[in-house]
Amino acid sequence: MDGARVLIAAGATAVCCLACAFWVFHSSSSSSSSSPASSKKHQSPPANCCGCASCGCRDAKSANGDMAVGGENKKKASEPAPPETPSMMEQLVPEITTHALSYLDYTSLCRLSMTNSAMRRAANDDGAWKALYHKDFTVEQGTINPPNGWKAYYAATKAIINLNAEFYNIIREGALPAMSRFWLNADYVKCIHATGEFCTGYNAVMESWGLLFNWGQDGGQGIAFQIRDVRVRVLGEVAWVNMKANVDVDPVLFHVTNVYELWNGRWYMVHHHSSLMADPAPHNMFG
């Protein structure tokens, strides 16, 4: 009886083992048969893919992430940038542009030349600088032809005007050291004061200015000149200035001529001439 039970238990165990082995074998067969389909599903579409939804290649991605259409990877062609529209100033004829620029001052015209290439050409136009020169300075030199152009001539004229103003600032301050640096140290420099005193040579000229400044200090007042009708002419390394001047509020006018010479890139005074303006002829009441 006990042996029969042992045989039954062994048989049941064998049947369970066979069932488990069959189940394992069947599971592996199913997985191997389904893997080709799944790998085929993830393969890239064929070269002759039509791109339709039925074949499933519409959603395929190429290696660089672009859409595959008709079996070829196509990138969108970059659209050309639209042409730049010229500004209203650039569309004007040169004559009108020059006339418009003539209303700008020196600083504004220089700033305009740094905006773009078109404005640089317009702002560097010789006609615009000639018009600006006549507006700011004088029309007396309308017939000259500056060798370096009107822009360079304007800059040189402005530099001489600033230098001439510095000369009268030195007189107002009575600064002899500054005056000694202002003049060229040469034996041919000349100075003719309004008193009629004539000095030639650097040492004599500096001595005369020293006496003038000491006289002003002793009097307790500075010597302040008011200048007007300033006219400048620059010719190479020489420039001269003609003007009218008066002391403080004194209505008596003087004719003044100052001459400057360029040495080693710096302008120096070489001649000063001041003379009392003659009174106009008295009017004859009786004809």
Side-chain angles (χ1 to χ4, degrees):
M1 185 72 182
D2 294 334
R5 291 181 178 177
V6 171
L7 291 175
I8 294 173
T13 303
V15 170
C16 291
C17 291
L18 290 174
C20 291
F22 177 80
W23 179 81
V24 170
F25 177 78
H26 183 268
S27 299
S28 61
S29 299
S30 299
S31 60
S32 61
S33 62
S34 61
S35 60
S38 61
S39 61
K40 181 178 181 181
K41 183 177 179 180
H42 292 86
Q43 286 179 356
S44 300
N48 57 354
C49 176
C50 63
C52 63
S54 61
C55 66
C57 65
R58 176 174 294 179
D59 296 331
K61 299 287 183 176
S62 64
N64 57 2
D66 296 325
M67 181 70 71
V69 179
E72 296 179 357
N73 295 330
K74 296 183 179 180
K75 295 182 179 180
K76 289 185 178 181
S78 58
E79 297 180 358
E84 295 183 1
T85 303
S87 63
M88 184 179 65
M89 181 67 76
E90 296 174 2
Q91 298 180 34
L92 297 176
V93 295
E95 290 77 8
I96 298 179
T97 302
T98 300
H99 181 73
L101 295 180
S102 66
Y103 288 95
L104 299 178
D105 57 9
Y106 172 77
T107 304
S108 300
L109 199 56
C110 290
R111 289 176 178 174
L112 182 64
S113 66
M114 296 184 290
T115 55
N116 56 52
S117 58
M119 289 297 97
R120 186 182 303 110
R121 289 191 298 269
N124 289 335
D125 180 73
D126 218 38
W129 284 98
K130 181 178 181 180
L132 183 62
Y133 181 92
H134 290 162
K135 183 182 71 173
D136 290 351
F137 303 131
T138 177
V139 297
E140 296 176 351
Q141 304 181 40
T143 58
I144 68 172
N145 186 21
N148 297 323
W150 280 97
K151 183 178 182 179
Y153 192 70
Y154 185 103
T157 302
K158 188 175 181 64
I160 293 299
I161 288 180
N162 294 338
L163 184 69
N164 195 70
E166 182 183 350
F167 172 67
Y168 287 99
N169 289 336
I170 293 174
I171 295 177
R172 180 170 56 251
E173 295 172 359
L176 186 60
M179 184 65 78
S180 64
R181 293 189 298 268
F182 194 81
W183 282 77
L184 180 66
N185 191 346
D187 57 356
Y188 59 83
V189 297
K190 303 288 190 293
C191 182
I192 305 173
H193 294 285
T195 58
E197 181 184 4
F198 174 77
C199 306
T200 181
Y202 178 81
N203 292 332
V205 170
M206 289 302 102
E207 184 179 353
S208 68
W209 283 112
L211 293 174
L212 181 64
F213 292 157
N214 290 333
W215 172 83
Q217 292 173 356
D218 292 340
Q221 296 179 353
I223 306 173
F225 280 92
Q226 306 294 328
I227 59 176
R228 65 185 188 185
D229 299 336
V230 180
R231 297 291 183 265
V232 179
R233 178 76 166 97
V234 182
L235 187 61
E237 297 180 348
V238 178
W240 56 94
V241 185
N242 300 109
M243 75 207 81
K244 296 176 182 177
N246 64 285
V247 178
D248 290 332
V249 294
D250 193 338
V252 178
L253 291 175
F254 298 89
H255 284 300
V256 181
T257 299
N258 292 332
V259 182
Y260 300 92
E261 191 172 332
L262 185 65
W263 275 85
N264 297 327
R266 178 183 171 185
W267 291 97
Y268 294 91
M269 177 172 280
V270 295
H271 186 93
H272 169 73
H273 188 168
S274 179
S275 59
L276 186 64
M277 184 180 296
D279 292 333
H283 178 66
N284 189 352
M285 298 177 55
F286 304 99

